[in-house]
Amino acid sequence: MKIVAVTACATGIAHSYMAAEALKKAGKEAGDEVKVEIQGAMGIENELSAKDIEAADVVIFAVDVGVRNKGRFNGKKTVSLGPNEVIRNAKKVLQEVKANFEG
Amino acid sequence: METKKVTFSEIIKPETVDLMLAPQDSKDDLFHHMIAMLFDVGAIGSKEEFLQAIYERESLGPTYMGEGIAIPHGKSCTVRKTAIAFCRCDEGFYYHTDDDGGEVDLIFMLAIPGEMSSNDYIRILSRLARLLVYPEFVDELRKAKDYDDIISSVEQYEPLLDQ
């Protein structure tokens, strides 16, 4: 499954990066293609391209602040949750997202 | 001239590492202890102001990260240089947050200057945060006998981030 995600948090120093790493790691372990854009203190990193978004089966917003440039995701299936949930249970989050959106 | 990259050992000093922390009665006691360490190495100018910045961040959302790890952090003009304090408490104790919190044994406190002049510093803080997602790295932190063990674990596991 192709998944794209955006992570963002209040100060953009710790949670956004941990959540991004947790998703990438869980994706690698499960054999899914996961691309993660980090909206943090250094601005937008690993920005998702229009192509990435177009190709994605589902979009995960792991944020506790607003998503910048959210319009890019109009028309996509999205899931929103807090970065903490992703950090604590990235594997489970991915499994649930897949179960809900596959097929 | 080539610009030198900031290294982990520049922002975490032997004096800001405590591997024998006793269980803390409250988060407030923990914060005071860690802030004193940062103050003693000259990373912050005012303990009170930095404590306030830490609590401001706490009010925005939990800094308990699961798996026994907490990362309280504060951004403030009273921070003179980017620094990290690290405490380990082998017995563990409860770290309260607005939602629930949890038992912690590894606590990192990040001091971030109000005017973050260089992305290099954010990068190094973010790399530490990312490393904490890897259980094998966290295990090393739990086994570390001294400051040097911690620095060498970071160096050993950092390549995971660039895969």
Side-chain angles (χ1 to χ4, degrees), chain A residues 51-98:
Chain A
K51 220 172 164 183
D52 293 332
I53 297 168
E54 173 66 37
D57 298 301
V58 61
V59 182
I60 299 175
F61 294 133
V63 299
D64 55 18
V65 290
V67 175
R68 281 180 255 174
N69 307 335
K70 203 171 179 178
R72 293 176 290 166
F73 303 100
N74 283 347
K76 301 298 293 186
K77 293 169 188 163
T78 64
V79 181
S80 294
L81 67 180
N84 264 62
E85 268 174 274
V86 171
I87 294 165
R88 293 181 203 181
N89 294 307
K91 208 172 168 178
K92 206 168 132 226
V93 165
L94 268 195
Q95 281 167 355
E96 284 177 6
V97 164
K98 281 161 70 178

Side-chain angles (χ1 to χ4, degrees), chain B:
Chain B
M1 206 175 80
E2 200 182 321
T3 47
K4 196 174 161 289
K5 274 230 168 122
V6 181
T7 62
F8 191 71
S9 57
E10 283 172 53
I11 56 166
I12 183 161
K13 302 286 182 196
E15 297 83 0
T16 58
V17 172
D18 179 359
L19 297 179
M20 305 220 299
L21 181 75
Q24 303 287 295
D25 292 334
S26 71
K27 204 160 78 168
D28 206 48
D29 290 346
L30 171 72
F31 288 172
H32 277 100
H33 176 70
M34 297 187 84
I35 289 172
M37 291 161 78
L38 292 166
F39 180 79
D40 289 344
V41 294
I44 55 174
S46 157
K47 291 185 209 174
E48 292 72 24
E49 270 178 54
F50 187 63
L51 182 66
Q52 201 185 331
I54 288 280
Y55 275 116
E56 266 164 37
R57 174 59 189 86
E58 290 297 302
S59 72
L60 296 173
T63 54
Y64 171 66
M65 303 295 207
E67 306 297 327
I69 302 167
I71 312 184
H73 50 285
K75 188 174 180 191
S76 164
C77 296
T78 197
V79 176
R80 292 180 178 153
K81 55 187 185 213
T82 305
I84 298 175
F86 171 53
C87 285
R88 188 178 73 198
C89 171
D90 292 340
E91 294 90 341
F93 59 93
Y94 203 81
Y95 185 92
H96 289 274
T97 62
D98 286 344
D99 59 350
D100 54 349
E103 194 79 3
V104 294
D105 65 334
L106 304 174
I107 308 104
F108 290 91
M109 179 177 274
L110 315 182
I112 305 145
E115 298 281 322
M116 183 64 100
S117 54
S118 159
N119 275 347
D120 286 350
Y121 287 103
I122 302 176
R123 183 162 286 120
I124 198 115
L125 297 177
S126 69
R127 286 179 81 80
L128 169 71
R130 289 169 60 199
L131 271 179
L132 294 173
V133 168
Y134 293 88
E136 54 271 48
F137 171 69
V138 176
D139 279 351
E140 292 290 320
L141 293 178
R142 293 201 163 105
K143 284 187 288 194
K145 288 186 196 70
D146 53 30
Y147 173 78
D148 291 339
D149 282 356
I150 290 166
I151 298 297
S152 57
S153 301
V154 173
E155 284 164 0
Q156 185 190 342
Y157 286 94
E158 253 199 316
L160 278 176
L161 301 178
D162 301 316
Q163 276 171 18

Side-chain angles (χ1 to χ4, degrees), chain A residues 17 38-45 68, chain B residues 119:
Chain A
Y17 291 97
I38 301 165
Q39 301 187 349
M42 287 190 285
I44 293 181
E45 291 175 66
R68 281 180 255 174
Chain B
N119 275 347

